[in-house]
Amino acid sequence: RQMRYALEDPEDVKTAVIAQWFEWYEEHQDRWEYSLTDKIRIFFLETRFATYWSNLLRLDFGVSLVTREPVLQTLAGKLKYSISLSITSLLLAYFISVPIGILSAVWKDTLVDRSITVALFILYSLPSFFVGALLLFYFSEGSDIHALRWFPVGGWRSANYMELTTIQQIGDIVWHLALPVLCLTYGSLAALSRYMRVGLLDVIRSDYIRTARAKGLTEWTVIMKHAVRNGLIPILTLMASLLPAVLGGSVIIEVIFSIPGMGLWMIDSIYQRDYNVIM
């Protein structure tokens, strides 16, 4: 810092300062003479990419370019909305699919089985954003039909949420989540009920089921007590693979119903070019 000159200084002063620079460099140039190990370390570790990954390992995702808040702190706040929405829809899908699969297996190839199959695959073919828009159009507070204004247009809770009792707060959240959960649930019913049906049919053909019937047990006891237990195994193993798919599908639902979860946060960050949040 001391070896410098002003632009208006004489040339001899400038030359003397420059000479001091070269002299200093000759004395300290060993600091730039790296060994092979140092060069490899610098090449791989002293980069922005390496710094980024070291921050990730420490759960340091940086600061939002828009709100100037730590990304991890905001992520923790948004995650509860997405997880609640996804877990609720997944549990509801299992709660509905298991009885439907049992009914289809017991009444195999009947009119009931075929009607259920057709209805479920029609639902499966409908995009969630299309169904969500229809539900908002007909069954939200913005509906043209006054008698069908049953649910709010969007959001997670009402404006007067903090003034409600605990029971009323739970009811308010359920009221807001009814349509989003419905949109996330119906698409899983077809696949889950088919898995349940096939798994139960394989069990029903087993020897121990014929033995149970030969003992004189009622058909209800045979199916519910002996067959369903083993028939549930294939469908339960799907839960680990379904949860990420449900989380990914909640992005569209959160945008449509204005739920302040990770999906809506990500879309807003893309529009605002908030790169730390997007990454």
Side-chain angles (χ1 to χ4, degrees):
R1 294 194 185 100
Q2 297 172 354
M3 299 177 191
R4 59 191 193 184
Y5 57 83
L7 292 178
E8 61 274 8
D9 287 345
E11 287 299 325
D12 57 341
V13 174
K14 295 180 180 179
T15 304
V17 172
I18 294 174
Q20 290 178 336
W21 293 350
F22 281 102
E23 182 181 354
W24 182 92
Y25 175 74
E26 292 295 334
E27 294 177 359
H28 299 86
Q29 65 175 338
D30 57 333
R31 68 165 61 182
W32 291 282
E33 294 177 357
Y34 301 117
S35 64
L36 179 61
T37 304
D38 292 334
K39 291 180 180 179
I40 295 175
R41 176 183 55 79
I42 293 171
F43 182 81
F44 286 104
L45 299 181
E46 293 188 8
T47 62
R48 294 289 296 274
F49 185 71
T51 303
Y52 174 72
W53 272 100
S54 66
N55 291 337
L56 289 185
L57 293 177
R58 293 184 286 107
L59 297 181
D60 180 7
F61 301 119
V63 176
S64 170
L65 302 179
V66 177
T67 64
R68 299 299 178 183
E69 296 178 351
V71 174
L72 183 61
Q73 177 182 335
T74 310
L75 174 64
K78 301 291 184 181
L79 194 60
K80 62 181 180 181
Y81 300 107
S82 299
I83 292 294
S84 301
L85 183 63
S86 302
I87 293 295
T88 303
S89 65
L90 187 61
L91 294 178
L92 184 62
Y94 271 87
F95 183 76
I96 298 174
S97 299
V98 170
I100 291 176
I102 295 173
L103 188 65
S104 298
V106 173
W107 290 349
K108 179 178 177 291
D109 295 333
T110 62
L111 180 61
V112 174
D113 180 31
R114 292 170 181 169
S115 300
I116 290 175
T117 301
V118 172
L120 289 179
F121 276 93
I122 288 176
L123 288 176
Y124 181 76
S125 65
L126 297 176
S128 60
F129 63 87
F130 172 71
V131 175
L134 287 181
L135 292 176
L136 282 178
F137 185 80
Y138 287 108
F139 298 104
S140 71
E141 293 175 340
S143 174
D144 293 335
I145 307 173
H146 290 272
L148 296 180
R149 294 180 178 179
W150 298 340
F151 301 99
V153 177
W156 179 263
R157 59 190 185 185
S158 302
N160 62 338
Y161 176 83
M162 300 306 297
E163 302 173 4
L164 304 177
T165 63
T166 302
I167 300 298
Q168 290 174 335
Q169 288 178 348
I170 296 174
D172 183 66
I173 292 177
V174 171
W175 182 49
H176 280 77
L177 290 186
L179 295 183
V181 168
L182 178 61
C183 284
L184 274 179
T185 301
Y186 77 86
S188 306
L189 297 180
L192 289 176
S193 61
R194 294 302 92 184
Y195 276 111
M196 184 65 206
R197 179 180 182 273
V198 172
L200 190 57
L201 286 176
D202 291 338
V203 174
I204 289 176
R205 301 189 187 101
S206 302
D207 293 337
Y208 73 91
I209 296 296
R210 284 194 290 268
T211 303
R213 286 173 175 159
K215 288 181 178 180
L217 298 178
T218 62
E219 188 66 16
W220 173 263
T221 304
V222 171
I223 296 298
M224 300 306 297
K225 187 175 181 180
H226 297 280
V228 171
R229 288 181 180 178
N230 292 328
L232 283 172
I233 295 176
I235 194 174
L236 291 177
T237 57
L238 291 173
M239 185 174 291
S241 60
L242 280 176
L243 184 58
V246 173
L247 274 173
S250 67
V251 174
I252 299 174
I253 302 303
E254 289 178 11
V255 172
I256 293 176
F257 292 96
S258 301
I259 296 176
M262 289 180 59
L264 183 59
W265 185 41
M266 184 183 71
I267 296 298
D268 290 341
S269 300
I270 291 174
Y271 284 131
Q272 297 167 347
R273 291 177 172 81
D274 194 348
Y275 301 110
N276 287 338
V277 173
I278 296 170
M279 293 297 290

